[in-house]
Amino acid sequence: MSEEGLLVEVIVHGPSSKAGKEAIAKKVASFHAQMVLEYISRLHCPKEQKIALVDAILEQIREDNRKEKEGESLSP
């Protein structure tokens, strides 16, 4: 065994149908949102600042979705 540890190769077969891909995308988005909320909850700041941060994130998502629907480029 090397210093880096044991290497394992994993092969993942994702869904091929549009519905399957959408379902996976929703699950990934839900997991990501949960991780963001957990991270924010652990921040050492007042509850009001945490709420403001979540509100700002939601507003950015809404703005990005609006731009995407209108065909504009998204912000970095």
Side-chain angles (χ1 to χ4, degrees):
M1 191 158 75
S2 67
E3 290 182 20
E4 293 87 29
L6 184 64
L7 296 177
V8 177
E9 185 175 328
V10 177
I11 298 172
V12 178
H13 297 279
S16 56
S17 70
K18 183 177 178 181
K21 290 177 183 179
E22 288 174 357
I24 292 290
K26 286 181 181 182
K27 287 181 181 184
V28 169
S30 176
F31 177 78
H32 183 235
Q34 288 173 345
M35 294 299 102
V36 170
L37 290 175
E38 284 183 29
Y39 178 83
I40 291 171
S41 73
R42 290 191 304 264
L43 292 175
H44 298 289
C45 62
K47 183 178 179 179
E48 293 78 20
Q49 285 182 326
K50 293 176 185 180
I51 292 170
L53 181 55
V54 171
D55 287 343
I57 292 168
L58 289 172
E59 183 56 37
Q60 184 64 55
I61 291 168
R62 288 182 185 112
E63 180 67 16
D64 288 349
N65 285 337
R66 182 194 63 77
K67 286 181 179 179
E68 188 176 297
K69 286 180 182 177
E70 294 175 0
E72 298 177 31
S73 63
L74 297 179
S75 61

